Amino acid sequence: VYPEVLESAVAPVEAVLSAAFPRFPCYRAFTGRRVRSLLMRKYRIEVDDVPTALDRIRSEGFSHVVIQPTLLIPGEEYAGLLNTVQSSSAGLTVSVGAPLLHSDADLERIIAVIQDTYPLPEDSAMLLLGHGSQTDTFGIYQRLACKLRPTSVRLCTMQGSPSFSDGIQTIQELGVNRVFVVPLLLCAGSHAREHLTEYRTGSLLLMLKEAGIHATPILRGLGELKDVQQLYADKARAAYETLLTL
């Protein structure tokens, strides 16, 4: 985690969410203990966890809360967030927004955003680098890979399926001479840099080179894209509409 990544990919999403709800304050909280600890230890940046943020909101006199996660899929982290909210929200009415990718419509929208943002030259393709999940209950990554088949965009993930080897094979099947590798991650942080800037054992960049594929990495997180920021705002608006019914 790098402060410049927070500014380039997290803060813009927060700014769009704040603009979507100008009458309400916006609070930042991170679920990951390791990330919060690292930010504090290395950069003296303090970020609340979710229970602390809810305590702060409660102490400031608010009773209704929309929580919009910047998670990509409804996996283990999302389930953990829901459990945390349930155990930490006494006295509050809370609506938790959906992750970026859940429904088929979400997948189609993200594909459209990626294709509009990164038009491909002839005889080239794109390989998306996702985090992946061992508990992808809804099969988001496999569903996305299927929806990408009519395009020149392919997908691989660091965990689960499709694997790096799967992604490389699908690129080879396209028969192109060049591939652009783009993070399917909110931030182009440590994971993206490890796999897209280093020719080390197990890195995606090295595996592509060993497969004879000329790869051009693009270190740009999804949170930097205006269209993705608006998708998060849409999720928060839907959560707010739900809050009004509670």
Side-chain angles (χ1 to χ4, degrees):
V1 179
Y2 307 93
E4 62 269 24
V5 170
L6 293 180
E7 288 305 310
S8 65
V10 177
V13 175
E14 293 171 334
V16 169
L17 291 172
S18 292
F21 299 94
R23 296 189 295 115
F24 309 127
C26 183
Y27 297 78
R28 172 186 285 182
F30 288 173
T31 57
R33 180 183 303 174
R34 187 182 66 84
V35 171
R36 296 194 311 275
S37 175
L38 186 149
L39 285 171
M40 188 62 187
R41 186 176 69 253
K42 290 189 67 173
Y43 306 109
R44 309 311 297 173
I45 297 174
E46 185 174 7
V47 181
D48 287 341
D49 60 11
V50 173
T52 302
L54 290 174
D55 284 343
R56 189 187 304 278
I57 289 167
R58 191 185 292 107
S59 70
E60 293 179 6
F62 297 102
S63 60
H64 289 66
V65 185
V66 168
I67 297 177
Q68 180 51 53
T70 53
L71 299 170
L72 261 64
I73 70 165
E76 185 176 351
E77 285 186 80
Y78 187 68
L81 171 63
L82 295 179
N83 289 335
T84 298
V85 170
Q86 186 174 19
S87 63
S88 307
S89 58
L92 298 172
T93 302
V94 180
S95 176
V96 181
L100 184 67
L101 306 178
H102 189 187
S103 68
D104 284 343
D106 292 336
L107 302 183
E108 289 159 7
R109 279 192 287 265
I110 200 65
I111 290 171
V113 168
I114 288 166
Q115 290 183 306
D116 289 345
T117 304
Y118 303 107
L120 292 172
E122 288 188 21
D123 199 27
S124 66
M126 182 185 301
L127 182 60
L128 301 176
L129 170 64
H131 188 281
S133 173
Q134 300 293 347
T135 56
D136 185 5
T137 307
F138 296 91
I140 302 294
Y141 291 107
Q142 286 290 1
R143 286 163 51 200
L144 180 57
C146 289
K147 286 186 176 293
L148 287 169
R149 285 176 186 165
T151 75
S152 295
V153 182
R154 295 296 183 264
L155 172 67
C156 67
T157 61
M158 291 176 274
Q159 297 180 20
S161 181
S163 65
F164 285 178
S165 296
D166 295 333
I168 290 170
Q169 181 179 339
T170 59
I171 290 292
Q172 291 173 322
E173 290 169 355
L174 289 173
V176 297
N177 295 320
R178 186 180 184 187
V179 60
F180 295 89
V181 190
V182 177
L184 187 73
L185 303 163
L186 179 71
C187 306
S190 57
H191 288 310
R193 297 185 191 201
E194 287 170 10
H195 286 289
L196 301 184
T197 66
E198 300 177 15
Y199 288 96
R200 62 173 181 79
T201 302
S203 76
L204 179 58
L205 203 58
L206 179 59
M207 291 179 67
L208 287 164
K209 181 180 180 180
E210 291 174 342
I213 298 171
H214 176 69
T216 301
I218 300 175
L219 285 175
R220 190 181 185 191
L222 292 175
E224 300 179 49
L225 308 182
K226 292 185 182 300
D227 288 340
V228 171
Q229 296 160 16
Q230 289 299 327
L231 292 179
Y232 278 116
D234 291 343
K235 298 286 185 179
R237 290 188 188 97
Y240 177 68
E241 292 300 318
T242 299
L243 184 68
L244 296 178
T245 68
L246 299 178

